[in-house]
């Protein structure tokens, strides 16, 4: 039945039953990009030096021992393989049942293979990256016919500091071995990985806190020390949220209670303090064909906006001080309430770009920010 559905959709005919929504979206994206199932048979491989470089810079390498202890033995016994890919869909590590690994070798599902959706079609690694959500696929739900013999379950792993996607954890095996509980297993392993990354982050903040204490003691007036992702290490003379926007050299940062500040490098951290008298903060939104946001106050800067970020700001401009929660924003952007994870990631990126002119829970413009929408 699934192969009949696949053949009908690929040929432009009405399928006997519609594919699942996540599968339909993936197939639609690939067809819109002119990607044929046959083209997805050609696997792109990174060379050894590129693979090693990707492994070295992957934040997931530090959680591998725990993932191995949790999943690899189980996968071998259950005749699965466990795959860790980076945010580009490149397979970094692959372990598990030897027989399944040999079958994966034939498929090209090997370390260094680019398993993104655009490269090999609908698959649990690449499609979960696009959807930013767990994806389980069975047999002919895959785009490439050579993948019909497989069942795959993948879920993105997020950086708990920034919300950015670090990569994907995937369990794959024979199509006959698919089990609904695999989704829960993968998500449990992902939560384990993210909790370990958060513990590493907490240890890093503690170290920075020790270094920051004497600096704050010598600083006149209110000041804040943050890490490279904007997480507050310590503050003096002011109460601030646990996280600010990510600091950058010579880029003004809007801090509640301090106004516009210019972050100053402080080893692995940043010192944030007021440089001038506070002024009103005005946010000007040009949401036309070339959307951009301009912040005016003690300093002025402009940021180009993606179409999605412009759409988010337009919704927030309508809600004003009332704000909007993630589920309602998902409905406004996507027409349903099923894209909460994607919404949170987009707003996180938008706040990183604009600073705390936006506040979470609910999403809205910060108090004291005057908003003007040009179009």
């Amino acid at each position: 039945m699934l192969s009949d559905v696949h053949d009908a959709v690929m040929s432009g005919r009405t399928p006997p039953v519609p594919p699942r929504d996540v599968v339909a979206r993936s197939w639609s994206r690939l067809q819109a990009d002119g990607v044929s199932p046959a083209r997805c048979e050609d696997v792109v491989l990174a060379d050894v030096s590129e693979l090693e470089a990707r492994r070295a810079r992957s934040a997931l390498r530090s959680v591998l021992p725990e993932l191995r202890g949790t999943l690899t033995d189980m996968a071998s016994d259950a005749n699965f393989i466990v795959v860790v890919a980076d945010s580009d869909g490149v397979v970094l590590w692959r372990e598990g049942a030897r027989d399944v690994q040999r079958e994966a070798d034939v498929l090209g599902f090997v370390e260094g293979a680019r398993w993104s959706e655009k490269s090999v079609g609908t698959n649990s690694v690449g499609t979960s990256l696009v959807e930013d959500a767990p994806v389980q696929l069975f047999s002919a739900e895959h785009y490439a016919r050579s993948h019909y013999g497989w069942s795959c379950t993948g879920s993105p792993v997020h950086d708990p500091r920034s919300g950015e996607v670090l990569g994907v954890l995937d369990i794959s095996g024979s199509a006959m071995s698919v089990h609904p509980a695999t989704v829960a297993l993968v998500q449990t392993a992902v939560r384990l990985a993210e909790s370990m990354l958060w513990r590493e982050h907490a240890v890093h903040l503690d170290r920075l806190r020790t270094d920051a204490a004497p600096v704050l003691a010598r600083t006149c007036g209110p000041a804040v020390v943050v890490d490279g992702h904007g997480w507050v290490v310590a503050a003096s003379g002011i109460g601030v949220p646990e996280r600010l926007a990510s600091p950058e050299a010579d880029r003004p940062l809007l801090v509640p209670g301090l106004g516009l500040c210019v972050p100053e490098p402080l080893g692995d951290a940043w010192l944030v303090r007021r440089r001038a008298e506070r002024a009103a903060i005005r946010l000007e939104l040009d949401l036309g064909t070339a959307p951009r946001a301009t912040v005016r106050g003690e300093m002025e800067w402009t940021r180009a906006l993606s179409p999605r970020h412009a759409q988010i700001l337009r919704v927030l401009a309508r809600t004003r001080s009332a704000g909007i929660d993630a589920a309602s924003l998902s409905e406004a952007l996507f027409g349903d309430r099923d894209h909460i994870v994607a919404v949170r990631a987009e707003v996180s990126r938008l706040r990183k770009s604009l600073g705390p002119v936006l506040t979470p829970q609910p999403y809205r413009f910060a108090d004291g920010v005057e908003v003007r929408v040009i179009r």
Side-chain angles (χ1 to χ4, degrees), residues 20 56 58 68 96 108 113 148 160 170-171 173 182 203 213 216 229 231 283 292 310 316 320 326:
R20 290 189 298 131
S58 173
R68 286 186 175 117
Y148 280 12
D170 170 89
I171 291 180
T182 310
V203 170
L216 287 177
H229 294 274
W231 289 95
L283 175 63
R292 61 185 183 273
L316 295 184
R320 294 290 178 169

Side-chain angles (χ1 to χ4, degrees), residues 22 63 74 77 83 164 181 217 223 226 254 256 259 285 331 334 366 372:
V22 65
V63 301
M74 178 280 303
D77 293 341
V83 169
E164 297 292 322
V226 299
L254 180 60
L285 300 175
E331 190 168 15
F334 299 99
R372 175 175 173 242

Side-chain angles (χ1 to χ4, degrees), residues 154-176:
S155 181
V157 183
H158 294 87
D159 188 334
R161 301 167 301 176
S162 64
E164 297 292 322
V165 174
L166 297 174
V168 172
L169 178 63
D170 170 89
I171 291 180
S172 294
S174 163
M176 302 305 295

Side-chain angles (χ1 to χ4, degrees), residues 79-117:
N79 222 29
F80 286 110
I81 56 173
V82 177
V83 169
V84 176
D86 66 13
S87 58
D88 293 323
V90 175
V91 176
L92 301 182
W93 295 280
R94 190 197 71 179
E95 299 177 0
R98 293 185 181 277
D99 289 347
V100 183
Q101 290 201 59
R102 283 192 287 270
E103 294 172 11
D105 290 343
V106 175
L107 190 66
F109 194 21
V110 297
E111 293 176 340
R114 183 175 291 271
W115 224 248
S116 64
E117 187 177 81

Side-chain angles (χ1 to χ4, degrees), residues 22 25 124-136 154-158 165 168 187 338-342:
V22 65
R25 288 194 298 270
S124 61
V125 172
T127 303
S128 67
L129 284 171
V130 176
E131 294 281 330
D132 196 14
V135 170
Q136 183 173 58
S155 181
V157 183
H158 294 87
V165 174
V168 172
Q187 288 184 283
D338 300 330
H339 291 74
I340 292 176
V341 174

